Amino acid sequence: MRSDKVDLKGLTLDQLQQFLVDLGTQKFRAKQIMKWIYQRGVTDFEQMTDQGKSLRQQLAGHAVISSWQPEAVEASSDGTRKYLFRLDDGESVEAVRIPMETEKDTLCISTQVGCAMQCQFCLTGTFGLTRNLTPAEIVNQVCGVLPDGPIANIVLMGMGEPLHNLDNVVTALKILCLDDGLGFGSRRITLSTSGLIPEMGKLSEMIKVNLAVSLNATTDEVRDRLMPINKKYPLKELMAACRDYPLGPRQKITFEYILIKGVNDSLADAKRLVKLLHGIKAKVNLIPFNEHASSEFKCPDEETIREFQTYLLDRQIVAMRRASKGQDISAACGQLKGKLDK
Ligand code: SAH
Ligand code: SF4
């Protein structure tokens, strides 16, 4: 049976070294094996020709190397591609490749099947949490799209709340950053959270990646309604945690702010947002709400969006408007759902 074997795709370098020591072999082989797995895409131990025959047989007896091919790929008219991956238990997750003008693609990956946070505007949130993804399942989303072309940046903005699956997510990120593996610089990875304060602190101690916080409101009243997690971790505490978050010299926290018509898009909101961000090294991503059938919310008109952005820019706040790519294939923010609706 597959299941009693260790999946090497889910192991960090330390864990692979320990696994090899437990098998009675030397730990320096871990880096060689990592190269076979991540740089040459090998899944059959017999192909690892720099390892002795008996070790190859031993590995085959105790380990597997999982590998994913997308079950379906949908291409959007703007170049965005959505990949559907089937999991061993029949669930599925989605990842989205987003073309960037100046550089290689960005890949948006999922960290859970569904999400427990129940944000009112988010399609994923309406289904609740089915389960956490394992480290291998997170890593395999990246490996599974690489045959289509290189990835410059990874964003954890697909299905799920990454900090609600902290240990698996950090293990996966460590694997993605391995020099002898895929070698992603940790600054090329951005983790987005709805604001789980204790886990934000833990994350900063475990790995240095870019942090994005989904703010989406400027008063507790509105945020409580949009994002129930705000009742547990209200704005004042969230902003204090952001203020204390350790950052590198040129690093900033990204604040994502979905603009929803008549809910959080007024100039009074823009004004409060400027106040909230005071003293924080911040940039703002304005995301016009992606309308979907499960929500009554609407996207504001162009003029409202422009005024909101201009208000921030005039006050020296870096405020980008995030293009909602892949809308025609439901690949835009908050629209991923795997097969949860079946
Ligand atoms: N759970 C994490 C990461 C996944 S959600 C988080 O909430 O940050 C990724 C982003 O999609 C979040 O910033 C969220 O606010 C945004 N989002 C969710 N639904 C959306 C929608 N319908 N339109 C636009 N953005 C949406
Ligand atoms: Fe979960 Fe993020 Fe969607 Fe909220 S916005 S329900 S935290 S995936």
Side-chain angles (χ1 to χ4, degrees):
M1 264 288 287
R2 244 188 115 97
S3 59
D4 55 14
K5 295 185 182 179
V6 174
D7 184 356
L8 302 192
K9 270 285 181 56
L11 301 189
T12 61
L13 183 61
D14 287 352
Q15 290 168 332
L16 181 57
Q17 286 172 339
Q18 188 57 50
F19 177 74
L20 292 171
V21 169
D22 292 345
L23 280 186
T25 186
Q26 306 94 321
K27 66 179 190 181
F28 75 88
R29 298 190 180 280
K31 290 189 175 184
Q32 299 172 336
I33 292 172
M34 289 281 182
K35 284 198 174 116
W36 284 110
I37 299 175
Y38 295 104
Q39 297 178 0
R40 301 183 198 130
V42 163
T43 55
D44 178 357
F45 294 107
E46 272 312 301
Q47 289 177 23
M48 299 185 177
T49 46
D50 56 357
Q51 307 301 323
K53 192 164 175 56
S54 73
L55 177 60
R56 297 201 307 256
Q57 282 173 348
Q58 233 186 336
L59 284 169
H62 293 94
V64 290
I65 301 164
S66 60
S67 161
W68 287 9
Q69 272 86 44
E71 182 174 290
V73 184
E74 272 182 272
S76 162
S77 50
D78 63 20
T80 301
R81 290 163 82 83
K82 182 169 77 168
Y83 302 82
L84 180 92
F85 294 105
R86 182 72 49 194
L87 310 179
D88 283 346
D89 61 358
E91 299 295 339
S92 62
V93 283
E94 290 171 331
V96 180
R97 177 191 281 271
I98 308 156
M100 293 298 181
E101 281 118 42
T102 50
E103 43 181 349
K104 289 181 275 182
D105 296 352
T106 289
L107 185 70
C108 172
I109 59 173
S110 298
T111 55
Q112 297 180 310
V113 181
C115 182
M117 300 299 135
Q118 303 199 314
C119 302
Q120 289 305 294
F121 45 77
C122 176
L123 186 58
T124 307
T126 60
F127 296 100
L129 176 68
T130 303
R131 70 169 173 87
N132 283 331
L133 294 184
T134 64
E137 288 170 335
I138 298 169
V139 170
N140 271 328
Q141 293 171 61
V142 181
C143 298
V145 311
L146 281 176
D148 263 5
I151 296 292
N153 297 296
I154 297 173
V155 295
L156 279 63
M157 294 185 189
M159 285 198 285
E161 167 49 57
L163 296 188
H164 194 212
N165 185 16
L166 180 69
D167 289 339
N168 288 353
V169 164
V170 170
T171 300
L173 296 183
K174 284 186 177 161
I175 295 169
L176 293 170
C177 292
L178 284 171
D179 283 341
D180 296 285
L182 296 176
F184 276 94
S186 60
R187 296 284 194 240
R188 287 161 62 199
I189 299 176
T190 300
L191 183 151
S192 176
T193 180
S194 55
L196 275 56
I197 296 176
E199 286 77 12
M200 281 167 58
K202 286 185 199 155
L203 175 75
S204 71
E205 284 164 15
M206 292 164 94
I207 193 165
K208 303 248 168 296
V209 291
N210 298 309
L211 183 70
V213 174
S214 297
L215 195 60
N216 299 335
T218 60
T219 64
D220 280 322
E221 192 201 340
V222 175
R223 200 166 190 269
D224 279 353
R225 188 154 63 90
L226 293 180
M227 306 179 72
I229 189 69
N230 193 67
K231 292 178 193 152
K232 198 165 173 192
Y233 303 122
L235 273 175
K236 198 163 178 254
E237 289 167 34
L238 178 59
M239 299 321 283
C242 291
R243 213 162 271 123
D244 292 344
Y245 200 84
L247 295 172
R250 280 180 306 280
Q251 216 183 2
K252 291 187 166 86
I253 297 180
T254 302
F255 288 89
E256 287 156 292
Y257 194 95
I258 308 178
L259 286 163
I260 306 174
K261 187 175 189 162
V263 174
N264 63 1
D265 61 346
S266 69
L267 281 182
D269 280 299
K271 202 171 175 177
R272 282 191 292 265
L273 182 53
V274 172
K275 274 212 180 120
L276 282 173
L277 296 179
H278 186 76
I280 303 178
K281 290 206 280 175
K283 58 183 173 187
V284 176
N285 266 347
L286 296 173
I287 316 170
F289 176 66
N290 288 314
E291 297 179 7
H292 54 84
S294 305
S295 171
E296 308 263 278
F297 292 139
K298 295 276 174 256
C299 179
D301 50 46
E302 264 308 309
E303 202 184 318
T304 310
I305 299 172
R306 217 172 310 126
E307 275 177 15
F308 198 100
Q309 183 181 18
T310 305
Y311 186 93
L312 300 179
L313 291 174
D314 286 349
R315 277 140 195 96
Q316 281 70 53
I317 290 182
V318 183
M320 315 269 278
R321 179 171 166 175
R322 207 160 80 192
S324 284
K325 294 193 173 168
Q327 237 150 353
D328 55 336
I329 54 166
S330 297
C333 291
Q335 295 187 342
L336 300 187
K337 58 182 167 30
K339 68 168 202 71
L340 290 163
D341 55 341
K342 284 187 195 147

